[in-house]
Amino acid sequence: KIEMSDLFFCHVLLTLLILCEVSKYSDIAHQIINLAVYGKAQNRSDERLAEFTDTIGNRVSGSKNLDLNVHLELVKIPHWVRGEESAVMLLPRNHTLAILGLGSSVGTPPGGIEAEAMVVESFEELKKRASEAKGKIVVYNQPFVSYGETVTYRASGASEAAKVGAVASLHPHTGWQWYQPGVAQIPTACITVEDAQMMARMACRGQRIVVRLTMRDQTLPDVDSYNTLAEITGSEHPEQVVLLSGHLDSWDMGQGAMDDGGGVTISWEALSLIRDLGLRPKRTLRTVLWSAEEPGGVGAAQYFQQHKANISNFNLVMESDLGTFSPLGLQFTGSDEARAIMKEVMKLLATINVTSLEEHGEGTDVNSVHYVFFPGASLHTADQRYFWFHHSDSDTMSVQNPEEMNLCSTVWAVVAYVVTDLDGMLTR
Ligand SMILES: *[C@@H]1O[C@H](CO)[C@@H](O)[C@H](O)[C@H]1NC(C)=O
Ligand SMILES: *[C@@H]1O[C@H](CO)[C@@H](O)[C@H](O)[C@H]1NC(C)=O
Ligand SMILES: *[C@@H]1O[C@H](CO)[C@@H](O)[C@H](O)[C@H]1NC(C)=O
Ligand SMILES: *[C@@H]1O[C@H](CO)[C@@H](O)[C@H](O)[C@H]1NC(C)=O
Ligand SMILES: [Zn+2]
């Protein structure tokens, strides 16, 4: 008869065995570090990313042959097209506003919309002043707190404004937005932070602000696209997989080098490093370059749906989507036992000073599945400057630094290889 305490004991023993096992990888970790940081692969990820983004630019629609076992998997993605867009402030003075329609926005009538602007700092203020909003263009001037908190203004600001009768909304932040079901769909665009703050000052002085907004944006039927997959097939448990990922699509400004060219390139580079060293892990190491992350993790959601039957074989899912600046550590979501193992794995990176294992693995593409099905990890880098460039024309190769990318690729490759090769799967 097996007692609960026996099972517990077995579990602890297994965990201890795995911890011992991790330290055996220090040789391989050093080979990867030497190759990527100091050796022949130095700056390769940066060079690949530069060639890729300089040649293709944003809105990537093809993929390079990675010279590995590469294939494409079909997904359906939204097809929104930016049309001619313009906005002018007519009162209290004439001033052209630089605008950028938010993804999925409807257009205005051909002559545009001319209306008084109502500036608010928060959804709370919008609700309090709801009776003033009818027929107005709501201008959000919310302070930036954090991406997670502030992005909700971009994501649902149009619907919140429509609920109180506004005819359009303007925001100091660009990217995709989502209309809420059953709420009138009003045009919505990004303006500059400078203009949002200026209009807030004008409103504060009691000056009447009038804006004319013209947008020809439209949504066409969904189109076919592909998640791009490359893998090194496992030698002992090919059906069990570790996923390394970033998203291949980008916003339509700049080159999409930072968001998420960097994440894509280090996920590709990690496979190359492991292959260059002639290593073949016991499980399958699969790099997935997601399609259509920007409209809300569309390609990833379909991937996990398509692979639902084999979901119990996913051992760890990793995503890099917050820049590939100087790496600080790995963010991880998973069981305590899995965390203990990941802590040991990070010790293998001591010589490049990246040993910290933090809480909360994240990434739009994998958020929905981490917590439910399997452990997840994301790369944490010195990303203080991320939102200077995010979704703007300045998201170009000039943001990237080859030495930082060498380090990011190394972290990605070492963690991915070791977890893919350990005797046991990470516990759920
Ligand atoms: C890698 O990039 C760094 C920084 O730009 C440079 O100093 C170094 O010479 C480069 N190495 C190679 C092999 O190109
Ligand atoms: C603003 O420009 C319009 C034409 O677009 C013009 O009719 C109007 O007089 C101008 N207003 C001011 C205050 O300059
Ligand atoms: C699930 O795994 C089985 C066995 O490894 C494989 O034959 C099948 O193609 C997989 N299905 C998907 C959707 O990945
Ligand atoms: C790690 O830190 C040590 C001590 O500060 C430093 O000498 C070394 O250059 C660092 N290594 C890397 C790859 O940053
Ligand atoms: Zn991104």
Side-chain angles (χ1 to χ4, degrees):
K1 176 170 160 246
I2 300 173
E3 302 278 345
M4 273 310 283
S5 57
D6 294 334
L7 283 177
F8 179 73
F9 180 73
C10 274
H11 207 83
V12 169
L13 196 64
L14 270 176
T15 305
L16 282 175
L17 280 175
I18 294 173
L19 295 187
C20 285
E21 198 198 338
V22 172
S23 61
K24 292 188 196 136
Y25 287 94
S26 82
D27 232 29
I28 284 177
H30 283 119
Q31 285 177 42
I32 294 174
I33 291 168
N34 284 331
L35 178 61
V37 182
Y38 308 106
K40 259 176 56 187
Q42 186 184 68
N43 302 357
R44 182 170 61 188
S45 52
D46 182 83
E47 282 153 19
R48 282 175 168 176
L49 180 57
E51 187 184 344
F52 186 60
T53 55
D54 290 344
T55 308
I56 296 174
N58 61 45
R59 280 282 133 99
V60 179
S61 58
S63 76
K64 289 212 152 198
N65 188 332
L66 308 186
D67 193 26
L68 289 153
N69 180 7
V70 182
H71 74 279
L72 302 174
E73 294 187 8
L74 186 70
V75 289
K76 282 272 184 215
I77 63 169
H79 188 202
W80 170 79
V81 282
R82 188 184 296 292
E84 238 174 76
E85 298 172 332
S86 68
V88 278
M89 186 176 76
L90 301 167
L91 283 176
R93 71 172 164 98
N94 277 349
H95 168 61
T96 300
L97 300 167
I99 68 159
L100 206 48
L102 298 189
S104 85
S105 176
V106 295
T108 61
I113 292 175
E114 192 175 309
E116 193 171 323
M118 168 182 171
V119 184
V120 297
E121 303 260 310
S122 65
F123 286 143
E124 287 67 43
E125 184 183 348
L126 180 67
K127 281 188 189 119
K128 254 189 230 148
R129 298 173 54 199
S131 62
E132 296 168 48
K134 195 161 166 42
K136 303 246 173 83
I137 294 176
V138 167
V139 177
Y140 290 96
N141 181 43
Q142 78 279 0
F144 182 86
V145 182
S146 70
Y147 188 63
E149 290 162 271
T150 310
V151 74
T152 78
Y153 284 90
R154 179 193 98 203
S156 57
S159 285
E160 293 304 325
K163 282 180 195 167
V164 292
V167 292
S169 68
L170 299 173
H171 307 250
H173 183 194
T174 182
W176 206 264
Q177 69 93 37
W178 293 268
Y179 290 122
Q180 293 166 20
V183 179
Q185 303 193 346
I186 59 173
T188 179
C190 171
I191 54 174
T192 65
V193 173
E194 291 82 352
D195 282 337
Q197 292 179 344
M198 179 184 70
M199 286 195 263
R201 290 193 298 275
M202 289 169 165
C204 216
R205 289 182 207 113
Q207 288 172 303
R208 186 163 172 261
I209 306 165
V210 173
V211 170
R212 187 191 302 135
L213 177 69
T214 311
M215 293 169 64
R216 296 283 168 78
D217 305 346
Q218 54 178 322
T219 297
L220 303 177
D222 286 357
V223 292
D224 288 348
S225 175
Y226 299 91
N227 288 322
T228 304
L229 292 84
E231 69 180 39
I232 299 175
T233 307
S235 58
E236 287 181 24
H237 310 288
E239 76 290 355
Q240 297 175 3
V241 291
V242 167
L243 294 190
L244 267 176
S245 69
H247 65 86
L248 200 52
D249 68 309
S250 73
W251 192 227
D252 64 349
M253 296 290 114
Q255 297 180 322
M258 180 192 76
D259 180 15
D260 183 27
V264 159
T265 317
I266 66 165
S267 298
W268 166 14
E269 180 68 14
L271 278 193
S272 298
L273 291 168
I274 290 162
R275 215 176 84 132
D276 286 354
L277 292 169
L279 299 169
R280 182 162 181 208
K282 297 191 188 80
R283 288 182 200 79
T284 294
L285 179 58
R286 181 177 300 157
T287 288
V288 190
L289 311 181
W290 308 115
S291 178
E293 180 273 350
E294 295 293 349
V298 173
Q302 286 173 52
Y303 177 85
F304 288 111
Q305 191 60 31
Q306 287 158 1
H307 292 266
K308 193 166 62 173
N310 291 342
I311 214 97
S312 62
N313 281 327
F314 286 101
N315 183 20
L316 174 69
V317 174
M318 299 164 68
E319 177 165 40
S320 162
D321 187 20
L322 263 176
T324 45
F325 302 99
S326 204
L328 300 175
L330 197 73
Q331 298 161 321
F332 180 75
T333 302
S335 65
D336 289 347
E337 293 99 60
R339 178 171 291 280
I341 292 163
M342 294 303 287
K343 268 200 173 132
E344 294 303 306
V345 174
M346 292 308 286
K347 287 183 187 163
L348 300 170
L349 293 161
T351 52
I352 58 162
N353 308 324
V354 191
T355 53
S356 135
L357 187 74
E358 303 162 18
E359 303 284 327
H360 302 304
E362 61 176 320
T364 305
D365 295 306
V366 295
N367 271 346
S368 58
V369 285
H370 272 175
Y371 308 107
V372 191
F373 299 115
F374 32 65
S378 49
L379 186 64
H380 183 200
T381 67
D383 56 11
Q384 299 91 329
R385 295 183 303 138
Y386 188 80
F387 291 103
W388 296 7
F389 312 113
H390 182 242
H391 291 177
S392 81
D393 263 335
S394 57
D395 178 353
T396 68
M397 269 319 283
S398 302
V399 179
Q400 302 295 129
N401 172 302
E403 284 154 333
E404 292 174 350
M405 290 193 74
N406 292 337
L407 295 172
C408 290
S409 302
T410 304
V411 173
W412 231 214
V414 169
V415 171
Y417 178 78
V418 174
V419 174
T420 311
D421 194 60
L422 285 175
D423 280 336
M425 295 256 281
L426 294 179
T427 54
R428 270 142 215 266

